[in-house]
Amino acid sequence: MGKRSMSTLKLLIVDDSGVTRRRIARLALSKPKQRFEIVGEAGDGETALALARELCPDLVTMDLTMPVLDGVGCTRELCVALPNVRVLVISALAARGMALKALAAGAHGFLYKPFTDAQFAQWMDEVVTP
């Protein structure tokens, strides 16, 4: 993707927790160095895939433990359907093994829950501008 200073990146937020989706949206929209447009939210992998195919996001934050289609399967399918998308996994420490599978499936980074606002900001900077 390269450095995209102050361009607007389309973000799809995927997590089965509405509270987590809202927090990620709030944090992404408050980033001073980067502009994000939240193009959609999904609570399961199947919905996420349908939205991603329709909306073509630049970034996807991906939970791993979700109903219908888990984050590993969703990441794998998403990276095939949209090869330029950057998938950023956000999941609980207990899902470490699944996180490694998600990285092998094409994810670009991993952040453990719970995370601080500062950790999220640093993580987004590293993944958005590698």
Side-chain angles (χ1 to χ4, degrees):
M1 177 184 311
K3 198 167 191 169
R4 296 175 64 174
S5 179
M6 294 310 289
S7 62
T8 301
L9 296 176
K10 297 187 294 184
L11 173 63
L12 174 64
I13 301 169
V14 183
D15 198 295
D16 62 343
S17 165
V19 171
T20 300
R21 289 194 309 268
R22 286 188 295 277
R23 181 170 183 227
I24 292 169
R26 178 183 55 81
L27 291 172
L29 293 174
S30 69
K31 295 275 300 139
K33 295 180 186 175
Q34 182 64 57
R35 282 186 265 205
F36 292 96
E37 174 189 0
I38 310 300
V39 294
E41 295 183 16
D44 65 77
E46 187 174 281
T47 302
L49 278 174
L51 285 173
R53 288 180 176 124
E54 176 186 340
L55 303 169
C56 298
D58 300 299
L59 294 169
V60 176
T61 61
M62 180 71 66
D63 188 15
L64 292 179
T65 53
M66 298 181 296
V68 186
L69 177 63
D70 70 20
V72 174
C74 185
T75 296
R76 184 176 297 110
E77 290 190 40
L78 192 57
C79 290
V80 169
L82 301 169
N84 293 323
V85 72
R86 296 187 68 81
V87 178
L88 317 172
V89 173
I90 302 177
S91 197
L93 182 59
R96 185 165 190 219
M98 284 183 67
L100 295 174
K101 289 179 183 176
L103 291 170
H108 294 85
F110 186 86
L111 181 65
Y112 288 117
K113 291 178 189 175
F115 55 87
T116 66
D117 291 4
Q119 287 170 323
F120 180 84
Q122 178 182 357
W123 178 73
M124 287 294 277
D125 286 342
E126 290 173 4
V127 175
V128 171
T129 56

